[in-house]
Amino acid sequence: MGIPAEYLILVISFAIVLFLLLLKFLFKKTLTPVNYRKANESITAYLYLLPSFVVLSIFVFWPVIYSFILSFFKWDFQNQANPAFIGLENYKKLFQLKNPIDVSFNQAFFNSLLILLTFIFLMHWIFDIKKIQNKKHKNIVKIMSVLGIAGIILTVFFNVIGIISSLILVIAYTILAAKKFAYNTNDKLMGRLILFFVFIFLTSKIGILDIIKYVSIAKQEADFIKAIWNTTYYVLLSTPITIFLALLIALLMNRKLFGKTFFRTIYFIPFVTSVVAVSLVWQWIFNDNGLLNYFLQQMGFEKVLWLKDEKFTIPTVAIISIWKLIGYYSVIFLSGLQNISRTYYEAAEVDGANPWQKFKFITWPLLSPTTFFILIVSMIGAFKVFSEIFVLYSGMPGPYNNSGLTVVYFIYDKFYTQQRMGEASAAAYVLFGIILLFTFIQIKAGKKRVHYDS
C-alpha cells in the first residue's frame, strides 16, 4: 500500500521546518549580523506561512493536481481502486456525437476563420484609412490585405458554394453601416463593436455556416456541447444585465437620498440569503399558479409556463441570479464611486459639464478598475452556475431536453450519478480552460481600457 498524500504532505512540511531551522543556525555562524537579520526575517516569515501552505496543499493543491492526472484515466465505479490510463479518451468522449450530423466541422471552422479575417481586413480599411498614406502603417495594410486574400483562398480551396458572393454583400452592407455609425463616434472601440455585431448578424442572416451554427446543431447529439451552449447563453444573458443594474443602483445610492442606508441593506440581503431558500421562493413565484403569473393575468396577459417550457429555463435561472447578485455588486460599485475625489467633479462643474459628461469623462474612466474586477468575478461565477438549477427543477437539468444542463451540472451528474469520475475530471478541466481563456482575454483587453488613478 502507498502512503496517503495527506501524510506525505505533512512529512514533507515537517522536513521543510527542520531545513529552515537548520538554515537559521548555519546563517548565524556564517553571515554578518546585518545579512543574518535579513535572512532570519525571511525564514521566520516562511515558517509562519507554512501552516497555511500545508492546509492549502492538503485541501486545494493536491486534489486539483490529482484530479487533473485522473482525467487521463478510466476512473469509474468498476475501476475505482485501480484506474486504467487511457490518455485523451475522456476528453474525446465529451465531444463525441451520439449520431452523425450533416454539417462538417472543418467547413464551419474555416468559414468562421474567413469571417474573422474579412472583418479584421474591413476594420483596418475603415478605421485606419487615414494611416494608409503613412509609410509606417503600409506594412500593416499589406498584412491585412494578405489575410483577406488568404481567407478567400481558403474558401475556394474548401469549395464553399456561394460564400464569396455572400461575403461581397456583407462587405457592402458593412461599409454602409460604417458610414452611418462608425464615423459618428469618437470611440473607435465602440465603432468596432457596432460593426462587429452588424457583420455577425448579416452573415448569420445570409446563412453562412459558422462555428456557432455548428454547435447549435451538434448540441442535440452531445450532452457536454449542450452544457457549454447553455452555460455560455446564461453567462452572456446574466452578466451584462447584472453589471448594468448594479451600476445604476450604485449611482442612485451614491446620491443624497433619504433612507439610503435602509435601501443598501435591502439590496444586499439577497446575497447573504441561502441559495436554496432563494431558489425555493422563486420556484413558487415562477409556478403556473404563482405570484408572477397572477400579476400577468391581472394585467390581461396569458399565463407563462416558466418552469415547463424549455425556452424559459435559462432566463428564469438568470433572473434569480441577477436578483441575488445585484446588491453585492452594487455595494462594490458604491465603494468605487466613493473613492473618486470630488475635486474632479468640482472642476467639471466650473467648466460647465452636464451630468452625462461627468459620468462619461470622470465617473466611468475612474470606475474602470472596479468594473474590471466585477466583470471578471461575475463571469467566473456565472460559468459555475449549479445550485439555482438543481433546486428550481428539483434535481433535474430543466423541465425536458436538458434545457438547463450546465457544465457544472454535467460534472455533478457524471461524478455522483453515473460514477464516471474520469470523465467528470476531464469536463472540469475543460471548464477551467474556458474560464481561463475568457479571463485572459479580459485581462489583455483591460490593460488599455482600465485607468488606475494615482
Side-chain angles (χ1 to χ4, degrees):
M1 292 181 63
I3 301 175
E6 294 80 2
Y7 295 126
L8 185 61
I9 292 172
L10 289 174
V11 171
I12 293 173
S13 303
F14 183 70
I16 292 173
V17 172
L18 292 179
F19 176 72
L20 292 175
L21 292 175
L22 180 62
L23 282 180
K24 290 181 69 173
F25 176 76
L26 294 175
F27 287 159
K28 188 174 183 180
K29 298 293 184 181
T30 57
L31 297 178
T32 62
V34 176
N35 292 333
Y36 170 71
R37 186 166 60 251
K38 293 180 179 179
N40 185 44
E41 289 175 356
S42 298
I43 293 173
T44 304
Y46 282 115
L47 285 171
Y48 278 114
L49 290 173
L50 190 61
S52 298
F53 286 144
V54 172
V55 174
L56 287 173
S57 298
I58 294 175
F59 296 103
V60 178
F61 300 144
W62 171 246
V64 168
I65 295 171
Y66 189 62
S67 62
F68 177 71
I69 295 172
L70 287 174
S71 67
F72 300 100
F73 285 77
K74 186 177 181 181
W75 184 37
D76 51 23
F77 184 77
Q78 296 179 345
N79 300 277
Q80 192 168 3
N82 298 301
F85 180 78
I86 56 174
L88 297 174
E89 289 301 318
N90 286 328
Y91 292 92
K92 293 178 181 178
K93 194 176 293 184
L94 294 176
F95 298 95
Q96 187 175 358
L97 303 180
K98 299 174 184 176
N99 299 302
I101 58 177
D102 298 332
V103 178
S104 170
F105 173 79
N106 291 335
Q107 181 182 352
F109 174 78
F110 283 103
N111 283 1
S112 302
L113 180 62
L114 174 62
I115 292 171
L116 179 62
L117 292 175
T118 308
F119 175 76
I120 295 173
F121 177 74
L122 282 174
M123 288 305 96
H124 277 271
W125 275 96
I126 292 171
F127 288 97
D128 300 327
I129 193 72
K130 296 179 181 179
K131 298 179 181 179
I132 295 176
Q133 304 299 328
N134 192 338
K135 292 182 179 179
K136 188 169 65 175
H137 295 91
K138 282 186 176 180
N139 291 330
I140 297 177
V141 175
K142 290 179 181 178
I143 292 172
M144 300 319 301
S145 301
V146 170
L147 289 176
I149 295 170
I152 297 175
I153 292 174
L154 287 173
T155 306
V156 175
F157 181 76
F158 283 92
N159 195 22
V160 183
I161 300 174
I163 194 170
I164 296 179
S165 58
S166 300
L167 280 172
I168 291 173
L169 293 174
V170 170
I171 291 170
Y173 281 115
T174 305
I175 293 174
L176 290 175
K179 290 181 178 179
K180 188 171 183 179
F181 296 109
Y183 293 146
N184 295 329
T185 177
N186 294 324
D187 190 353
K188 285 188 176 182
L189 177 63
M190 185 59 66
R192 293 172 198 270
L193 287 176
I194 292 172
L195 287 179
F196 176 75
F197 287 114
V198 170
F199 192 82
I200 295 300
F201 175 76
L202 290 173
T203 52
S204 63
K205 287 298 181 181
I206 289 173
I208 299 175
L209 176 65
D210 55 13
I211 287 294
I212 296 177
K213 288 186 178 179
Y214 173 82
V215 173
S216 66
I217 298 172
K219 67 187 176 83
Q220 304 299 332
E221 301 296 338
D223 290 340
F224 187 68
I225 295 178
K226 182 152 193 177
I228 294 176
W229 177 275
N230 290 339
T231 306
T232 306
Y233 175 33
Y234 169 80
V235 171
L236 296 178
L237 180 64
S238 64
T239 303
I241 297 175
T242 305
I243 294 176
F244 173 76
L245 294 178
L247 177 59
L248 185 63
I249 292 172
L251 291 171
L252 292 174
M253 291 193 296
N254 195 41
R255 300 171 64 88
K256 294 181 180 179
L257 298 174
F258 176 76
K260 64 180 180 180
T261 304
F262 171 75
F263 287 106
R264 289 179 189 175
T265 306
I266 292 297
Y267 281 119
F268 193 74
I269 283 177
F271 179 73
V272 297
T273 307
S274 170
V275 178
V276 177
V278 167
S279 300
L280 286 173
V281 171
W282 278 97
Q283 186 183 50
W284 170 72
I285 294 174
F286 284 127
N287 198 16
D288 292 352
N289 298 317
L291 187 64
L292 187 56
N293 277 329
Y294 171 77
F295 284 115
L296 289 176
Q297 287 180 317
Q298 292 298 317
M299 290 186 291
F301 296 100
E302 295 183 357
K303 290 196 302 184
V304 178
L305 302 178
W306 297 100
L307 300 178
K308 294 182 179 179
D309 193 340
E310 66 170 338
K311 67 181 180 181
F312 292 116
T313 303
I314 298 300
T316 53
V317 177
I319 290 171
I320 298 174
S321 299
I322 292 169
W323 179 82
K324 181 176 175 59
L325 296 173
I326 192 173
Y328 172 65
Y329 294 138
S330 64
V331 169
I332 299 177
F333 269 128
L334 183 61
S335 176
L337 289 170
Q338 292 177 345
N339 285 330
I340 300 175
S341 175
R342 295 296 306 171
T343 57
Y344 295 110
Y345 297 104
E346 293 169 359
E349 289 174 0
V350 172
D351 293 335
N354 56 40
W356 168 247
Q357 290 172 330
K358 292 179 186 178
F359 175 79
K360 182 178 180 181
F361 297 108
I362 299 175
T363 305
W364 184 244
L366 295 180
L367 202 62
S368 56
T370 306
T371 309
F372 179 64
F373 168 76
I374 291 177
L375 182 62
I376 290 180
V377 172
S378 61
M379 186 165 288
I380 292 174
F383 271 109
K384 299 188 296 182
V385 61
F386 169 75
S387 302
E388 293 88 345
I389 295 174
F390 189 82
V391 177
L392 195 63
Y393 292 97
S394 303
M396 300 296 293
Y400 60 92
N401 198 24
N402 287 332
S403 59
L405 182 65
T406 60
V407 177
V408 176
Y409 194 101
F410 179 89
I411 296 169
Y412 162 81
D413 182 65
K414 285 291 181 181
F415 195 97
Y416 290 100
T417 305
Q418 302 183 30
Q419 296 286 304
R420 297 178 181 177
M421 289 78 80
E423 292 181 37
S425 299
Y429 280 95
V430 172
L431 176 61
F432 170 76
I434 294 172
I435 294 175
L436 185 65
L437 176 63
F438 275 90
T439 306
F440 176 77
I441 292 172
Q442 291 179 76
I443 291 174
K444 294 294 289 185
K447 284 184 178 180
K448 295 181 179 180
R449 306 294 299 179
V450 179
H451 173 74
Y452 292 97
D453 183 27
S454 58

